[in-house]
Amino acid sequence: MFAKPFRVKSNTVIKGSDRRKLKADISAAFPSLSADELSELVPNKEELNVVKIYAHKGDAVTLYVLHKNPLFFELEKRLYPTVYVLWRYPALLPTFRTWPPVLQKMIGGADLMLPGVVVPSSGLPDVKQGDCCAVTVVSNRAPVAVGTAAVSSAEMHSSGMKGRGVCVLHTYMDNLWAFGDKSGPPSLPDAESEGQGVYGDGCEADEEEEEKEEVEKCVEEEWGSGKTVTDQVCSGTEELSLAEQEEEKGEKEIMDTLLVQCFLHALKSKVKKSELPLLTSTFLRNHMFSCCPSGKQLDIKKSSYKKLSKFLHTMQQQHNLVRVKELTKGVESIVEVDWKNPELRSFSVPEEMDSEAAPVQDEGEGQTPYHPPEITTLYSVSARLEPLFLDANKRKGTILQPAEVRSIVTEYVKKNELVDENNKNYVTINPTLCDCLLEKSEYQEIESLKWDDLFSRTLGRMQECYQAVFPGQAPIIKKGHIEPIDISVASRGSNKKVTLIKNLEVYHLDPAVVATALQHRVQASSVLQPIPGAKDKVMVQIQGNQIHQVGSLLLGNHDLTKHVFGMQHLKTTLRKFLQILHKCSLGLKCELISFLGFFFRQLTVEKHQEKS
């Protein structure tokens, strides 16, 4: 895990409550430690640091550092000791012995294979699969590696000591060890090695040759074929390492090919001469990503180029396809495209490419395009209005369409001859309508109502419901209003903004998929966070003010104009917006005008759709 350099995210001093919790967690994970030993490892008054890091594969790891030495590391809510702790307490974990040459392979990232394990006269330690264990070398009892048992002890014996034995997480001489004071392991000869005259790694340099001869004799006497076994383990780890390198090389070549394909496709069918000069970031976000074939994901970091600037400079120097120039300090732009370049002219755009129209949910293979639900407003008969609907055999809780409500009320008025003879636009109020539709203060004042007022009062006193029909699914009926997709901008810290998106689940949109699509579109980090007080609901948080991009995604690709917060009353909002704009300060005006541009673009789209 720490064979390659890791990235430090934060380094803070531990709090008092966290110190007590850490001591309790260590005591629970390693019950063999006494109270005094715990106090030595986690002293009350000495500075103890909590360092959060990201391993080279992206794993989030927490280190607990005392006197500049990492003592424990936490991975997936489980504590593991480092070699610095195990050198002080070598009996803390069950240990497996191996040969010194195998240590170099483990430092390089290989696991401990069972053919390389030296079985002592007392037998293998009793471990279960997943148990934390340590690895020592034949000549020294000081542990040199920490990991988890790949299989149980019984399975090790039953397999004939073949296969993987210990999944190594941390070793002496790796980057986690180098994060400390880089001290070497102490010399702690075990009983068997001591009896045979074998000494540990801490021996003096002039004794190394003698030690080597004694280890070889020990191997010949006790294991006979042990040297061959070690060679097999070493060759196995070398083959594993080479296979990983070949696989990584193959992935980079595939990503390089995809990168060039999207680049040529974007130049040939997306970029116009009038757009130049074009920011390289805009070219990647708006043109190259949209040219990526469905089912594939364009990721420059997984290519051999690693950075967009390096890729574009390669296209400029080796292929003469574009000319990139730094027009503003630190900001590169594409200023020229060679449209007559043979490579560009010979490139044929794939027929299947139509990713701009592809919705967010259609990123995986075999998934159907997203279609918005059909939302219908319904009304439920309330207890107060039940007498009005009895003649139509509609009881409390019956769900009705608005047209059905109008029809039943009209039928009731005509049946009871309540239409005003002098003015048929009015309906005379009888005792039933009085109890159902009027307030107590209106009993003596109102004798008749207009038809529209009659219908609006009836619907207003009914329980509002909604029916959502998703393609290929049974209708869903729920009480209340359907929650719109809520998009808002919040401040984090002094001058940082994040965009929050809520209620995606109501419309059967996967928040994780939407977050990934937005992350690729705007090239900003996104996370999912639980909504306080809402069970089984999460909100998408994406870095920066991304309201324009979120609106474009939901309104364009998903046709959810009526269900995005604020969009259903867009024209009314704009009128109110213009009324208050002139009262705002200059700074606020600039921010509001930015939003106004997005609203006007949406109005244009709506008008175009109405004409069509």
Side-chain angles (χ1 to χ4, degrees):
M1 170 169 283
F2 304 105
K4 295 182 180 180
F6 51 78
R7 178 168 63 88
V8 177
K9 179 186 177 184
S10 63
N11 188 343
T12 57
V13 178
I14 195 169
K15 299 178 182 178
S17 57
D18 292 336
R19 188 189 295 262
R20 290 190 293 272
K21 183 179 181 300
L22 174 62
K23 187 177 289 188
D25 291 343
I26 294 173
S27 178
F30 310 104
S32 60
L33 288 172
S34 64
D36 293 338
E37 291 171 337
L38 275 174
S39 298
E40 288 180 10
L41 289 173
V42 188
N44 294 327
K45 295 185 179 181
E46 296 186 38
E47 185 176 294
L48 182 67
N49 288 60
V50 180
V51 182
K52 294 186 177 181
I53 65 171
Y54 288 115
H56 70 281
K57 289 186 178 180
D59 298 306
V61 184
T62 302
L63 309 180
Y64 297 97
V65 181
L66 178 68
H67 300 153
K68 298 183 180 180
N69 278 343
L71 300 184
F72 295 90
F73 63 95
E74 185 176 355
L75 175 65
E76 296 179 352
K77 297 183 179 181
R78 184 175 178 183
L79 281 173
Y80 299 90
T82 65
V83 290
Y84 291 109
V85 170
L86 293 177
W87 291 340
R88 294 165 64 181
Y89 308 103
L92 185 62
L93 298 177
T95 59
F96 292 86
R97 290 200 306 162
T98 187
W99 306 104
V102 180
L103 173 59
Q104 295 301 322
K105 302 301 177 182
M106 291 192 294
I107 292 172
D111 292 330
L112 177 62
M113 311 303 287
L114 287 176
V117 174
V118 178
V119 182
S121 57
S122 57
L124 292 174
D126 186 16
V127 295
K128 297 178 181 178
Q129 185 178 4
D131 283 358
C132 187
C133 51
V135 180
T136 65
V137 292
V138 169
S139 54
N140 197 347
R141 194 163 53 92
V144 291
V146 180
T148 57
V151 292
S152 65
S153 302
E155 290 174 312
M156 292 179 187
H157 286 294
S158 61
S159 64
M161 296 300 291
K162 293 181 180 179
R164 198 181 307 275
V166 178
C167 299
V168 177
L169 299 175
H170 157 55
T171 66
Y172 163 60
M173 295 288 287
D174 68 2
N175 284 276
L176 179 57
W177 167 84
F179 194 71
D181 60 13
K182 300 182 182 180
S183 58
S187 178
L188 303 173
D190 55 29
E192 293 189 15
S193 298
E194 203 170 30
Q196 296 170 22
V198 180
Y199 296 91
D201 293 337
C203 292
E204 300 295 334
D206 57 355
E207 297 177 354
E208 287 183 356
E209 291 298 324
E210 183 181 351
E211 174 197 353
K212 186 176 179 180
E213 292 176 2
E214 290 176 351
V215 171
E216 289 176 355
K217 288 180 182 178
C218 179
V219 171
E220 290 175 0
E221 291 175 3
E222 294 191 0
W223 271 69
S225 61
K227 189 174 180 181
T228 306
V229 171
T230 304
D231 292 340
Q232 291 174 354
V233 175
C234 296
S235 61
T237 54
E238 286 175 356
E239 290 175 4
L240 182 62
S241 178
L242 288 172
E244 290 175 350
Q245 290 177 4
E246 288 294 328
E247 184 180 354
E248 186 177 351
K249 185 178 178 181
E251 291 177 355
K252 287 183 178 180
E253 289 177 355
I254 293 172
M255 189 56 65
D256 288 351
T257 304
L258 180 62
L259 199 60
V260 173
Q261 176 187 323
C262 296
F263 173 74
L264 294 174
H265 185 182
L267 289 181
K268 190 159 188 175
S269 61
K270 303 289 182 182
V271 179
K272 298 179 181 178
K273 193 173 183 179
S274 59
E275 295 180 21
L276 302 178
L278 180 64
L279 289 174
T280 57
S281 57
T282 304
F283 173 68
L284 174 67
R285 181 174 64 249
N286 295 348
H287 299 309
M288 286 187 65
F289 280 137
S290 63
C291 294
C292 185
S294 59
K296 295 184 179 180
Q297 182 176 327
L298 189 64
D299 191 345
I300 294 179
K301 292 182 179 179
K302 291 183 180 179
S303 69
S304 60
Y305 301 99
K306 301 299 182 184
K307 292 183 179 180
L308 176 63
S309 58
K310 185 178 178 181
F311 170 72
L312 292 176
H313 286 151
T314 303
M315 295 296 105
Q316 174 179 326
Q317 296 170 4
Q318 298 183 10
H319 302 274
N320 296 319
L321 284 163
V322 293
R323 188 163 68 88
V324 181
K325 191 175 180 181
E326 192 175 292
L327 298 180
T328 309
K329 187 176 180 180
V331 181
E332 291 185 335
S333 300
I334 297 175
V335 296
E336 187 180 335
V337 177
D338 184 5
W339 309 103
K340 297 181 180 180
N341 187 288
E343 287 187 57
L344 186 59
R345 297 185 67 177
S346 62
F347 177 77
S348 58
V349 177
E351 296 180 0
E352 62 179 35
M353 288 304 299
D354 191 16
S355 60
E356 285 188 357
V360 174
Q361 294 282 67
D362 194 26
E363 291 191 350
E365 295 181 5
Q367 293 184 353
T368 57
Y370 176 83
H371 296 286
E374 294 181 8
I375 309 296
T376 307
T377 302
L378 303 175
Y379 293 90
S380 172
V381 178
S382 61
R384 182 177 178 180
L385 293 182
E386 190 173 11
L388 182 60
F389 291 87
L390 277 178
D391 290 346
N393 294 322
K394 304 298 181 184
R395 300 289 179 177
K396 176 186 174 182
T398 304
I399 306 294
L400 300 172
Q401 298 271 1
E404 292 180 285
V405 175
R406 294 176 66 93
S407 176
I408 292 172
V409 172
T410 303
E411 185 66 27
Y412 176 84
V413 170
K414 290 181 179 180
K415 182 178 179 181
N416 290 276
E417 299 179 352
L418 298 177
V419 179
D420 193 325
E421 295 179 357
N422 298 323
N423 189 346
K424 294 188 178 182
N425 290 329
Y426 284 85
V427 175
T428 304
I429 301 298
N430 68 353
T432 301
L433 291 177
C434 180
D435 292 338
C436 293
L437 303 180
L438 299 184
E439 301 293 340
K440 288 185 179 181
S441 60
E442 298 174 331
Y443 285 177
Q444 304 300 326
E445 299 176 0
I446 299 178
E447 295 180 355
S448 61
L449 290 172
K450 283 187 175 182
W451 279 102
D452 289 342
D453 194 11
L454 180 70
F455 293 137
S456 63
R457 282 175 178 256
T458 303
L459 293 174
R461 282 161 176 75
M462 297 180 74
Q463 171 70 55
E464 187 171 335
C465 310
Y466 70 88
Q467 174 182 277
V469 180
F470 291 89
Q473 299 184 26
I476 301 172
I477 298 178
K478 292 186 178 182
K479 292 183 179 180
H481 299 274
I482 186 169
E483 295 178 288
I485 297 175
D486 188 0
I487 307 171
S488 60
V489 177
S491 297
R492 295 286 187 270
S494 58
N495 195 27
K496 292 183 179 179
K497 291 184 179 180
V498 293
T499 304
L500 307 176
I501 312 161
K502 303 176 184 177
N503 302 330
L504 291 169
E505 300 92 342
V506 177
Y507 300 90
H508 289 198
L509 286 169
D510 187 350
V513 176
V514 173
T516 303
L518 286 172
Q519 186 175 359
H520 293 161
R521 178 176 284 215
V522 303
Q523 290 295 286
S525 62
S526 63
V527 294
L528 300 179
Q529 292 186 343
I531 300 176
K535 187 179 180 182
D536 299 330
K537 281 190 176 182
V538 296
M539 65 178 172
V540 177
Q541 175 179 304
I542 187 161
Q543 204 172 39
N545 185 344
Q546 310 294 352
I547 281 188
H548 296 187
Q549 294 292 343
V550 176
S552 173
L553 182 73
L554 297 178
L555 302 180
N557 289 3
H558 291 72
D559 192 22
L560 287 169
T561 305
K562 298 179 181 179
H563 311 298
V564 178
F565 180 74
M567 297 300 173
Q568 61 269 46
H569 303 299
L570 190 57
K571 296 180 182 180
T572 305
T573 304
L574 281 174
R575 283 196 294 268
K576 294 180 180 178
F577 184 86
L578 291 171
Q579 290 173 4
I580 64 171
L581 183 63
H582 70 280
K583 300 179 182 179
C584 301
S585 64
L586 180 61
L588 185 57
K589 276 183 180 179
C590 295
E591 185 71 19
L592 293 175
I593 289 172
S594 174
F595 288 102
L596 189 61
F598 170 70
F599 289 144
F600 273 129
R601 286 196 296 273
Q602 182 57 32
L603 272 180
T604 305
V605 172
E606 286 185 356
K607 288 181 180 178
H608 178 72
Q609 290 176 347
E610 288 173 3
K611 290 180 181 178
S612 301

